[in-house]
Amino acid sequence: MDTQYLENIESNVRTYSRSFPVIFDKAQGARIWDADGNEYLDFLAGAGTLNYGHNESDLQKALIDYIQSGGIVHGLDMWTDAKYQFFKTVEEILLKPRGLDYKIQLPGPTGTNAVEAAIRLARHATGRKNIITFTNGFHGVTMGALATTGNSKFRQAAELPAIGAQFMPYDGYLGEGVDTLDYLEKALTDSSSGLDKPAAVFFETVQGEGGINVASIEWMQRLERLCKAHDILMIVDDIQAGCGRTGKFFSFEHADIKPDIITNSKSISGFGLPFAMVLMRRDLDVWKAGEYNGTFRGFNFAMVTATAALKKYWSDDTFEKDIQRKGEIVKTRYQKLASLISDHGHPASERGRGLMRGLDVKTGEMADKITKRAFKKGLIIETCGHDGNVIKCLCSLTITGDELEKALDILEDSVKDALAA
Amino acid sequence: MDTQYLENIESNVRTYSRSFPVIFDKAQGARIWDADGNEYLDFLAGAGTLNYGHNESDLQKALIDYIQSGGIVHGLDMWTDAKYQFFKTVEEILLKPRGLDYKIQLPGPTGTNAVEAAIRLARHATGRKNIITFTNGFHGVTMGALATTGNSKFRQAAELPAIGAQFMPYDGYLGEGVDTLDYLEKALTDSSSGLDKPAAVFFETVQGEGGINVASIEWMQRLERLCKAHDILMIVDDIQAGCGRTGKFFSFEHADIKPDIITNSKSISGFGLPFAMVLMRRDLDVWKAGEYNGTFRGFNFAMVTATAALKKYWSDDTFEKDIQRKGEIVKTRYQKLASLISDHGHPASERGRGLMRGLDVKTGEMADKITKRAFKKGLIIETCGHDGNVIKCLCSLTITGDELEKALDILEDSVKDALAA
Amino acid sequence: MDTQYLENIESNVRTYSRSFPVIFDKAQGARIWDADGNEYLDFLAGAGTLNYGHNESDLQKALIDYIQSGGIVHGLDMWTDAKYQFFKTVEEILLKPRGLDYKIQLPGPTGTNAVEAAIRLARHATGRKNIITFTNGFHGVTMGALATTGNSKFRQAAELPAIGAQFMPYDGYLGEGVDTLDYLEKALTDSSSGLDKPAAVFFETVQGEGGINVASIEWMQRLERLCKAHDILMIVDDIQAGCGRTGKFFSFEHADIKPDIITNSKSISGFGLPFAMVLMRRDLDVWKAGEYNGTFRGFNFAMVTATAALKKYWSDDTFEKDIQRKGEIVKTRYQKLASLISDHGHPASERGRGLMRGLDVKTGEMADKITKRAFKKGLIIETCGHDGNVIKCLCSLTITGDELEKALDILEDSVKDALAA
Amino acid sequence: MDTQYLENIESNVRTYSRSFPVIFDKAQGARIWDADGNEYLDFLAGAGTLNYGHNESDLQKALIDYIQSGGIVHGLDMWTDAKYQFFKTVEEILLKPRGLDYKIQLPGPTGTNAVEAAIRLARHATGRKNIITFTNGFHGVTMGALATTGNSKFRQAAELPAIGAQFMPYDGYLGEGVDTLDYLEKALTDSSSGLDKPAAVFFETVQGEGGINVASIEWMQRLERLCKAHDILMIVDDIQAGCGRTGKFFSFEHADIKPDIITNSKSISGFGLPFAMVLMRRDLDVWKAGEYNGTFRGFNFAMVTATAALKKYWSDDTFEKDIQRKGEIVKTRYQKLASLISDHGHPASERGRGLMRGLDVKTGEMADKITKRAFKKGLIIETCGHDGNVIKCLCSLTITGDELEKALDILEDSVKDALAA
């Protein structure tokens, strides 16, 4: 594998090829192979983009059929049959059964496109400029989204200040026993707090990049009450936590709250294709024609696979239950690993919701020791959190029982090796 | 065709479905069909995204082969075989023969991702914040790109000021006989001009959305000299004008200039797939690992089709010459139409480079009259310019001679009908 | 008194003439008279600008002598004898005895000029953009200062976002038992907190406009440690709390901390003349010639009276002790009033440091009831706090014992009347 | 003179003490003396702040009388008798005779306070954010004003981008024969020009710091027509050019235009006291109580001297005519000097209006040579323009004929010396 060629020609900005310095060429389900034929179990799954695994066969078939039929690939935002089918399916399978009445915007095929559109719409609809975002939130790096993203790595590289958002502490940020919404509520009711009255609060129900930080049900419900009391919109960024990752299609269903605007991307196409969607409360659709645009708003391949994925996996609650069941398996094994590591004098803990789980080993150094060993043993697994201190599980939701056990066994071996090193 | 359903569920932000209110379902080459089987010639071609036409057969075959082989679809920014082939092909076919030595960044699959990355890199590399952009420039609508985009429609909808750029008049903006670079040069040499010393100038060699405004060779060469004299980077946004649209692969080749950074997107995949690329002078690659990211940086389908397209169309100069030849055909016919319209008391003119051509009929009202009639006659054609006053030709570069003549005939009929109305 | 004329010609922005709708024409010490000869005790004292009372006789004499001698009035920032004397006196009386080694900048004669200069210098010296400011902080309303000011009244009226600062909760903001610096420390050590590494923290030791909120000694000392640990500058805004108001010349002396930069204004001239000063750690003086300017940087009258005031009042600790003694008197009477009000079912409390004291009656409505009655009885006294809920004492520091008792008696009567109403 | 002490303790930001490194201590009319008794003629006059000279005797007398009467010095923005007299005098002497109906805001005593207030009011009244400002404009350095100031020296030192304004070329900026308003008009009528529809245009009729650039009458009248046609406010910054400097009280009177908002400062007090004023069309006064504030809005000394100055100098047109007459004298002599310098191979030219005149010697080096020599010969005179290439005449308007001739003789000698060097 001529990795040196790639090192030389690709910009230094590259990231994952540093952790996994091989050239991959095939993938199926939860498994991926490099050009030398080495097999890996994939616990990263496109950072949550491959919830149904690599090359899911029914989606692949739907896609090939569509291509062979001469269907439209790219149609700007024109109406196509694929779009019609997709919208119908979203309505029938996702919205109606949940009592949701949203309009749909396809804002461009990346998460950050959806974020820019969603927060701009919130500003447009309220006439206010400010967005409340939260510590450790990650929402993208284009300049509008960046204002809502906490990571200093991106913020510093921008050279310009990213404007339009103010940060508040996320649930749990100030430790046990501190309800961080006390600060938000105080600031909202105090006209000299420096908090500009926001258009919206914008948050992930489980923070992915931020370290698998889980907002409690009570915190989200109080946040919804605060929003209603102060006439502030609630936007849930469900780009990573959505599409079943937490055990429900929308991650906020656990809290029985109804966001005013929702951003989706990553796994919405189901097949790893670039795609994003903004759902908005019907009366918030104040957009005028063409006020937000982009060339790739209408990627029909993604609509074809998204439609197939929704029909296959979300027509009843079988898949939800299966995710929840597997989540419990990972939880139990991660807790066991946390105990094991703690017993060796490195305090560690487990957290998560559904199949979005993290093993917090407190330092990036320790986490790297473990994940490097795991890669050598055939497991692709990444870290997150402000110091890279949390070992993420973002395995495909369709992983088989055997694959899951094998992956967790590799992780356990890697932990043991790291502790012994 | 149940267009009412779509009207009801899709956000009001939708645009092209207002000009072409049908549901499309098939497309091939320069032709596209709606769900009732009506055929249209496509002079819009994904706003420059389908330079090789819809469903180009060799690209389609390469894509299906890749899918059936179980190749990686989505790999974040990991190394894959498809990326390796793509980078090699870019180097061998695009860079080396033109004496260019760039590094490659895949910044996310949309043009605006590439723009945000390119201008951020320019700021990062120079430590300066300001970007010079030009009247009627269009570079995307995420907040960083928006600062460089002139259209008030997008800027006003943002509610927040878009910061980080200053506008200068584009070539020809102040009429015949005014070299607009006089103002830029004066402002650069005058420390009290209000022009903050820029990191870069950022421009399209032919402005697409802005009205098919063509920068002259002399203007571009003087701009390059100004940049060098003042140690300012030059970024060419080749998202719409690149990939052969103007008769050369890179649109700046006509002027024999060498930009420091280039943005590409739209037709780079060749198949309408979301994809974008930033090329940067090797020494400007000051990115640190992960300072710019995004989920869909590594869309392998697009690399597969891009590789096939480059190999098929750009290995020699046959295709270039063909584009130039067809460009002359459109030019001649557009000039004839301009004369015809002018003869009826509506001053009109023609302009463009290669197959990126515009018929300026001075008012959006007249342009709409013509294009609406064209659509009814089976030609999809759009307008651009600040008032929608320019009828664009963005037909696929692979359009057949017969199709081209037929489309131009329809346009001529539509003009005549409009003039007679 | 023809107040209607003034109402008609002066902009609606006027404020104090709404609370005190008379025309004043004479003043002496703690007393002020309106054009009809009515006398008032002045517990507002120019919002802390008249610490030595109106028309202090020795300062008045020094000023008249200077005028009659033909001294320079306005000299841009040229060197004058008055400036020389002032700088010498600052050094001898203020800096040397306190072990402080600062350079002096006269940035223009208003507090907001000093604030803009101080925070810009901090950015310039560190190369960082962000300033940490605190809830309920007030630092002025020009756009740079506004970014550090919490009041939504000013922030909303600006239409533009005020950029360059982030807010943190001030001491006590989240109630008893919450050390608000926990959040700042967490955010500083967490690279994904959304807190951009600041150039400086910027705070008032006692917040004036914000409601006489008093930072505890421990809080300020911990803040200084945090700044040192993270290489962040500390700027104390001593515009209202300085010049002896809290019982020490510099308000931060109570905490035995040494700010890197200090802003002074309001009472620094001693006579109510527009004047402001920035003190900066010698090595932080990275300004180049003329990088910050303004026409009225060199108002020599103010330097003359400032010199006289420093010499008369601050050559030994007599004055300090007198302020502290009077502060205790006000404290005792305010506590008594708080008890009285609380006994009537309106929870009230007292707080402050030195002669900067507040009686918090929880609502602006109650505070207005009391101060309106006080004005009718001959006491000028204002409210502060986010809802105007705190009745301020900003009496001149030179007020006589009899005047002080009389003013407090009037206030007590007003409270009783208000409670009885 | 212990200038070394001052060098050591004063911040490096100091400017004028670099050109005139002596300690001044007395001044009268057009003359100023240093501490060693050396006399200088003052052609700088507080950069336009001392239009009536130093220590004008009637103003001095009015001030001393006021002080000795125990008048209010500082009264925040409360109503005082001095304010009443001032407002009446402004109305009777300035507004009514000119058919102007403005309301008055005293926004704090510096020009930059007035600028921040004026542009914020324009934004507030129109709901638009953008302000059109011009190349070489100087309007102050607090962050709001800085956005409208062209000098890179200040803009770079700010570290943050100054937002809220866009620059257009001032009259004459692009050389003879180019009407720079062509660009503004084009940009206003072109919705893709990148020019955000402005709240206001903001300009000096003669640019002081920018190099004594004189807007022609036609240019100003066309600008007014453009503003009316596009519903944009016109703000004239008359801080340096106002108060008679150009031969009329308001500098825009020459063009017979009526600005919507006017900023005044510098010479408005007449005595060098910090003071500023915003005049606004009555219906634009959308301020709510207290939306803009500042401690020193009500500096009564300045109102006392301002009232006396308006009454003495502006009750009839005698003074105007005298200024115009003297302006012609300076013009003639400056033209002669320009010829002289040009004859020596250094192209030079003269320009100005009234007693605001400049001798453009093309380079800062040449200008410095001349002004340094002048200072040694007893003339204080400064340079302006982007390279310090313009030798300004800002002599007091009350300068005697003899003093004026003497000063101009010194300047002529200095020019000759410089040319001979």
Side-chain angles (χ1 to χ4, degrees), chain D residues 128-171:
Chain D
R128 298 178 215 131
K129 298 172 188 67
N130 191 25
I131 303 290
I132 296 297
T133 184
F134 292 90
T135 52
N136 287 297
F138 179 88
H139 304 283
V141 302
T142 54
M143 285 301 288
L146 183 60
T148 67
T149 288
N151 312 51
S152 59
K153 178 171 67 175
F154 306 112
R155 295 172 69 88
Q156 282 175 11
E159 303 281 340
L160 274 181
I163 66 175
Q166 289 180 311
F167 284 84
M168 279 283 149
Y170 190 75
D171 192 20

Side-chain angles (χ1 to χ4, degrees), chain C residues 7-232:
Chain C
E7 272 184 39
N8 186 53
I9 196 162
E10 188 168 17
S11 163
N12 298 323
V13 79
R14 69 194 176 79
T15 45
Y16 287 102
S17 57
R18 297 173 191 269
S19 304
F20 314 117
V22 298
I23 300 176
F24 295 98
D25 75 346
K26 301 269 178 274
Q28 184 60 44
R31 286 169 296 158
I32 185 168
W33 292 269
D34 70 23
D36 289 345
N38 300 304
E39 179 177 306
Y40 306 85
L41 282 163
D42 186 359
F43 247 46
L44 175 52
T49 307
L50 296 160
N51 279 1
Y52 313 109
H54 292 273
N55 288 312
E56 208 272 358
S57 56
D58 287 331
L59 308 188
Q60 190 185 65
K61 188 178 176 311
L63 177 59
I64 291 178
D65 286 352
Y66 185 79
I67 298 175
Q68 287 176 334
S69 77
I72 312 280
V73 180
H74 176 276
L76 294 164
D77 79 335
M78 297 192 291
W79 287 331
T80 62
D81 189 56
K83 181 186 275 192
Y84 185 88
Q85 301 304 332
F86 173 63
F87 281 3
K88 275 276 186 200
T89 306
V90 168
E91 191 179 35
E92 295 302 325
I93 291 182
L94 294 183
L95 304 184
K96 279 196 185 161
R98 289 168 179 81
L100 302 170
D101 184 23
Y102 293 121
K103 292 184 81 174
I104 306 174
Q105 177 181 2
L106 303 182
T110 67
T112 199
N113 289 135
V115 166
E116 295 256 347
I119 62 180
R120 195 168 305 174
L121 179 66
R123 290 184 181 121
H124 213 21
T126 61
R128 297 178 215 133
K129 297 171 189 70
N130 191 25
I131 303 290
I132 295 297
T133 183
F134 293 91
T135 52
N136 289 297
F138 178 89
H139 304 284
V141 302
T142 54
M143 283 305 287
L146 184 60
T148 67
T149 287
N151 311 49
S152 58
K153 179 172 64 176
F154 306 113
R155 296 172 69 90
Q156 283 175 10
E159 303 280 340
L160 275 181
I163 67 176
Q166 290 180 311
F167 284 84
M168 278 283 152
Y170 191 75
D171 192 20
Y173 194 72
L174 298 173
E176 294 286 310
V178 180
D179 187 338
T180 57
L181 292 178
D182 288 351
Y183 182 21
L184 178 58
E185 180 161 22
K186 177 79 191 283
L188 283 170
T189 51
D190 170 5
S191 64
S192 295
S193 64
L195 186 80
D196 296 317
K197 183 162 181 179
V201 299
F202 183 42
F203 73 107
E204 303 152 276
T205 68
V206 181
Q207 295 183 321
E209 298 309 301
I212 313 295
N213 306 310
V214 183
S216 72
I217 304 307
E218 298 71 31
W219 190 87
M220 291 191 273
Q221 291 175 341
R222 184 179 174 193
L223 183 57
E224 186 180 57
R225 289 193 304 272
L226 274 177
C227 285
K228 285 189 174 152
H230 291 274
D231 190 28
I232 299 166

Side-chain angles (χ1 to χ4, degrees), chain D residues 25 28 91 144 153 175 209 298 301 305 307 322 356 380 417:
Chain D
D25 73 347
Q28 183 60 44
E91 192 181 34
K153 178 171 67 175
E209 299 308 303
F301 282 6
T305 55
T307 301
D322 194 50
M356 189 167 187
I380 289 174
D417 284 9

Side-chain angles (χ1 to χ4, degrees), chain B residues 127-294:
Chain B
R128 298 178 216 132
K129 297 171 189 69
N130 192 24
I131 303 290
I132 296 296
T133 183
F134 292 90
T135 51
N136 287 299
F138 178 89
H139 304 284
V141 302
T142 54
M143 282 304 287
L146 184 60
T148 67
T149 288
N151 311 49
S152 58
K153 179 171 66 176
F154 306 113
R155 297 172 68 89
Q156 283 175 12
E159 303 281 340
L160 274 181
I163 67 177
Q166 290 181 311
F167 284 83
M168 278 283 152
Y170 191 75
D171 192 20
Y173 193 71
L174 298 173
E176 292 288 310
V178 180
D179 187 338
T180 58
L181 291 178
D182 289 350
Y183 182 22
L184 179 59
E185 180 161 25
K186 177 81 191 283
L188 283 171
T189 51
D190 170 4
S191 65
S192 296
S193 63
L195 186 80
D196 297 316
K197 181 160 185 181
V201 300
F202 182 42
F203 74 106
E204 302 152 275
T205 69
V206 181
Q207 295 184 321
E209 300 307 304
I212 313 294
N213 306 309
V214 183
S216 72
I217 304 306
E218 298 71 30
W219 190 88
M220 290 191 274
Q221 290 175 341
R222 182 178 175 195
L223 184 58
E224 185 179 57
R225 289 194 303 273
L226 274 176
C227 287
K228 283 188 176 152
H230 293 274
D231 189 28
I232 297 165
L233 301 177
M234 172 186 273
I235 313 177
V236 168
D237 182 345
D238 231 14
I239 289 172
Q240 186 160 148
C243 298
R245 174 57 57 186
T246 66
K248 300 274 187 183
F249 186 85
F250 293 114
S251 71
F252 54 81
E253 292 179 60
H254 298 282
D256 201 24
I257 56 175
K258 286 197 184 173
D260 302 294
I261 303 175
I262 301 162
T263 53
N264 269 112
S265 183
K266 290 202 184 261
S267 274
I268 184 73
S269 84
F271 202 66
L273 305 175
F275 198 46
M277 171 167 80
V278 176
L279 299 173
M280 65 193 74
R281 230 177 55 205
R282 184 161 283 279
D283 61 297
L284 293 175
D285 184 22
V286 299
W287 286 120
K288 293 200 192 98
E291 280 185 331
Y292 192 93
N293 75 1

Side-chain angles (χ1 to χ4, degrees), chain A residues 148-379:
Chain A
T148 66
T149 288
N151 311 49
S152 58
K153 179 171 66 176
F154 306 112
R155 295 174 69 88
Q156 282 175 12
E159 302 281 340
L160 273 181
I163 67 176
Q166 290 181 310
F167 284 84
M168 278 284 150
Y170 191 74
D171 191 21
Y173 194 70
L174 298 172
E176 293 285 311
V178 180
D179 186 338
T180 57
L181 291 178
D182 289 351
Y183 182 20
L184 178 58
E185 180 161 24
K186 178 78 191 283
L188 283 171
T189 51
D190 170 5
S191 65
S192 294
S193 63
L195 185 79
D196 297 317
K197 181 161 183 177
V201 300
F202 183 42
F203 74 105
E204 303 152 276
T205 68
V206 181
Q207 295 183 321
E209 298 310 300
I212 312 294
N213 306 310
V214 182
S216 71
I217 303 306
E218 298 72 30
W219 190 88
M220 291 191 273
Q221 291 175 340
R222 183 179 174 194
L223 184 57
E224 186 180 56
R225 287 193 304 270
L226 273 176
C227 286
K228 285 189 175 153
H230 292 273
D231 188 28
I232 298 165
L233 301 178
M234 172 186 272
I235 312 175
V236 168
D237 182 345
D238 230 16
I239 290 173
Q240 186 160 147
C243 299
R245 174 57 57 187
T246 65
K248 300 275 187 185
F249 186 86
F250 294 114
S251 73
F252 54 81
E253 293 179 58
H254 297 283
D256 200 24
I257 57 175
K258 286 197 185 173
D260 302 295
I261 303 175
I262 301 162
T263 54
N264 269 111
S265 183
K266 290 204 185 258
S267 275
I268 184 72
S269 84
F271 202 67
L273 304 174
F275 198 47
M277 171 168 78
V278 176
L279 299 173
M280 64 193 73
R281 230 177 55 204
R282 186 161 283 276
D283 61 298
L284 293 175
D285 184 22
V286 299
W287 286 120
K288 293 201 193 99
E291 281 186 332
Y292 192 94
N293 75 1
T295 294
F296 295 108
R297 281 166 292 170
F299 182 30
N300 289 282
F301 282 5
M303 299 189 229
V304 167
T305 54
T307 301
L310 291 176
K311 286 184 173 166
K312 175 168 179 184
Y313 289 101
W314 297 100
S315 293
D316 62 31
D317 65 0
T318 315
F319 189 51
E320 272 189 20
K321 287 186 176 155
D322 192 50
I323 300 164
Q324 291 164 13
R325 185 185 58 78
K326 287 175 188 161
E328 289 302 309
I329 293 170
V330 177
K331 180 179 181 178
T332 305
R333 292 289 299 267
Y334 264 42
Q335 283 176 336
K336 200 177 135 195
L337 291 175
S339 296
L340 180 68
I341 297 166
S342 298
D343 290 348
H344 280 71
H346 305 279
S349 58
E350 185 280 341
R351 57 181 178 263
R353 185 171 282 145
L355 271 171
M356 189 168 187
R357 308 210 74 89
L359 175 63
D360 186 341
V361 298
K362 291 295 173 284
T363 68
E365 198 191 345
M366 172 59 81
D368 284 349
K369 269 191 196 172
I370 295 166
T371 56
K372 272 190 199 329
R373 280 165 175 80
F375 181 62
K376 284 189 185 145
K377 293 173 196 287
L379 176 65

